[in-house]
Amino acid sequence: MIIVMKQGATPEAIEEVKKIVREAGYTPHDLSGEMRTVIAAVGDGRDKSRLESMESLKYVEKVVPILRPYKLASREVKKEDTIIKVGDVSIGGKHIAVMAGPCSVEGEEQITSIARDVKAAGAGILRGGAYKPRTSPYSFQGMEKEGLELLKKAKDATGLPIVTEIMDSREIDLICKYSDILQIGARNMQNFSLLKLVGQVKKPVLLKRGLANTVQEFLMSAEYILSEGNKEVMLCERGIRTFETATRNTLDLSCIPVLKELTHLPIITDPSHGTGYWQFVSSMSKASVAAGTDGLMIEVHNRPEVAFSDGAQSLKPKKFDQMMKELRPVAVAVGRTI
Ligand code: PEP
Ligand code: MN
């Protein structure tokens, strides 16, 4: 339920509303914007009449049900786009944020030189995996803590904030120490205990869409994070599994406008994992920008032919630079900057 307060409702009146919400067995979330004071009462739907009857309180304007199964993620609850600030970068506003870097951190020279190159081309955030979710247990699993330390060195050298994946709750403190954004990978999109955990920390979360998950399931996973109190969630479309084998995954571009309608959260597109081939990354990036994405996640490697992971879908720095140049007029055509 959404409880909309009358203009000029006092802090005491707001506290009173929150108290009644708690007594009814719901959790109050204060979603007040500049224009209006709004409390979302989120719970399992029991004793709804208690909330409905709050409409008779003199400082309450109206009580409206939230129809979607995801509540805090929904546009019904929050009309304005959520903007997440990471260092100097704003994600979800007019500017399209670009996160770029290698699939895996492989060494100091590799990560710092790629960081310098992607920064020079216009990326605002450095990506790089230190803990890697690999299909085979015999494949490179990531440099772990050392990888995080190298990411920090690359950040110190360039000023770029970091996004890196957390796979296991045991690594939360360590990764929070080094990373500016916590990435939840596709394979963990429905690891609900991990989602709850990242919901309790004060770090933005980049949630990737599961390999075979619907938009609704995607939003329900975001809801797990939001419901724990972390409001800084961005959704990353990274391709889904279909019958098509010409690409690694099928990048679901239509989910961008669909998500824009359903949620206020920023949307990021990852055409590297979405297609699996560097040759298709540039065109799908342009298409993503045209479709309204708020950000791009792009794998870039200085020597893709010997990359420890995902070389085939990684752009060389020069190609990345070229792509960034080509993206600018597309962004301008849809009223954005990049
Ligand atoms: C990655 O970003 O390198 C990654 C493993 O992505 P995904 O979880 O989308 O497969
Ligand atoms: Mn990868």
Side-chain angles (χ1 to χ4, degrees):
M1 291 284 185
I2 304 171
I3 299 136
V4 183
M5 305 293 287
K6 283 192 178 141
Q7 282 228 324
T10 61
E12 292 75 31
I14 296 166
E15 271 321 302
E16 179 66 17
V17 162
K18 288 186 182 170
K19 189 164 160 260
I20 301 171
V21 167
R22 280 191 208 98
E23 281 168 6
Y26 287 72
T27 307
H29 292 265
D30 198 334
L31 302 165
S32 305
E34 273 169 31
M35 304 299 281
R36 44 179 213 163
T37 304
V38 177
I39 313 289
V42 179
D44 61 11
R46 257 180 285 168
D47 212 0
K48 245 201 262 175
S49 55
R50 181 91 197 271
L51 297 177
E52 280 156 0
S53 67
M54 288 172 79
E55 220 163 42
S56 61
L57 296 172
K58 67 175 186 302
Y59 39 77
V60 170
E61 191 177 298
K62 58 182 173 182
V63 178
V64 275
I66 312 170
L67 301 174
R68 307 275 183 195
Y70 37 88
K71 309 294 178 189
L72 302 172
S74 153
R75 277 261 187 226
E76 291 174 80
V77 159
K78 185 167 179 275
K79 304 254 178 295
E80 326 79 60
D81 290 340
T82 288
I83 299 180
I84 300 174
K85 282 211 62 135
V86 182
D88 297 335
V89 186
S90 288
I91 306 163
K94 187 176 179 206
H95 191 72
I96 296 168
V98 179
M99 313 174 183
C103 180
S104 301
V105 179
E106 300 170 10
E108 183 168 348
E109 220 290 300
Q110 177 243 20
I111 189 70
T112 40
S113 101
I114 296 172
R116 285 202 174 95
D117 286 341
V118 298
K119 184 181 178 176
I125 296 169
L126 176 66
R127 67 145 286 146
Y131 295 85
K132 293 305 302 175
R134 304 306 299 281
T135 302
S136 165
Y138 308 118
S139 301
F140 175 64
Q141 302 285 305
M143 292 184 77
E144 305 184 340
K145 184 167 189 283
E146 202 188 339
L148 297 175
E149 285 161 0
L150 296 181
L151 281 169
K152 171 79 170 51
K153 282 194 178 165
K155 176 182 178 174
D156 292 343
T158 58
L160 291 179
I162 303 294
V163 54
T164 198
E165 179 165 351
I166 171 162
M167 292 210 303
D168 189 305
S169 58
R170 286 169 293 189
E171 280 126 27
I172 185 97
D173 292 337
L174 189 64
I175 296 182
C176 279
K177 212 171 110 190
Y178 289 97
S179 194
D180 300 282
I181 303 174
L182 303 176
Q183 176 172 327
I184 299 283
R187 290 152 192 84
N188 269 321
M189 190 203 86
Q190 287 191 314
N191 180 341
F192 300 119
S193 54
L194 187 60
L195 298 179
K196 283 186 188 170
L197 186 69
V198 298
Q200 289 158 12
V201 299
K202 279 198 160 50
K203 284 272 176 193
V205 176
L206 180 134
L207 175 67
K208 289 191 132 191
R209 182 175 178 180
L211 307 179
N213 285 109
T214 63
V215 163
Q216 178 152 318
E217 288 162 346
F218 196 10
L219 288 167
M220 292 310 291
S221 289
E223 188 75 14
Y224 262 93
I225 304 170
L226 298 167
S227 67
E228 292 292 327
N230 189 344
K231 295 181 177 158
E232 300 197 310
V233 180
M234 46 201 121
L235 302 166
C236 180
E237 161 59 32
R238 47 77 71 208
I240 48 174
R241 218 165 248 194
T242 67
F243 56 83
E244 184 55 71
T245 53
T247 45
R248 179 179 179 185
N249 292 293
T250 297
L251 189 67
D252 180 13
L253 282 179
S254 61
C255 91
I256 300 170
V258 170
L259 283 167
K260 278 277 159 213
E261 196 168 293
L262 299 177
T263 183
H264 52 85
L265 299 172
I267 297 146
I268 313 294
T269 318
D270 171 354
S272 306
H273 293 87
T275 62
Y277 297 94
W278 69 264
Q279 292 90 331
F280 311 135
V281 170
S282 180
S283 48
M284 287 297 99
S285 294
K286 287 175 204 150
S288 304
V289 168
T293 198
D294 297 305
L296 291 167
M297 174 171 261
I298 309 287
E299 286 189 338
V300 177
H301 201 289
N302 48 356
R303 295 179 67 205
E305 61 287 357
V306 292
F308 292 181
S309 58
D310 288 350
Q313 64 193 37
S314 300
L315 292 178
K316 287 187 184 165
K318 225 172 143 181
K319 284 257 171 4
F320 176 68
D321 184 64
Q322 177 66 27
M323 180 186 91
M324 290 294 286
K325 289 193 172 87
E326 291 171 16
L327 281 171
R328 282 184 191 116
V330 183
V332 170
V334 291
R336 312 284 292 264
T337 58
I338 192 164

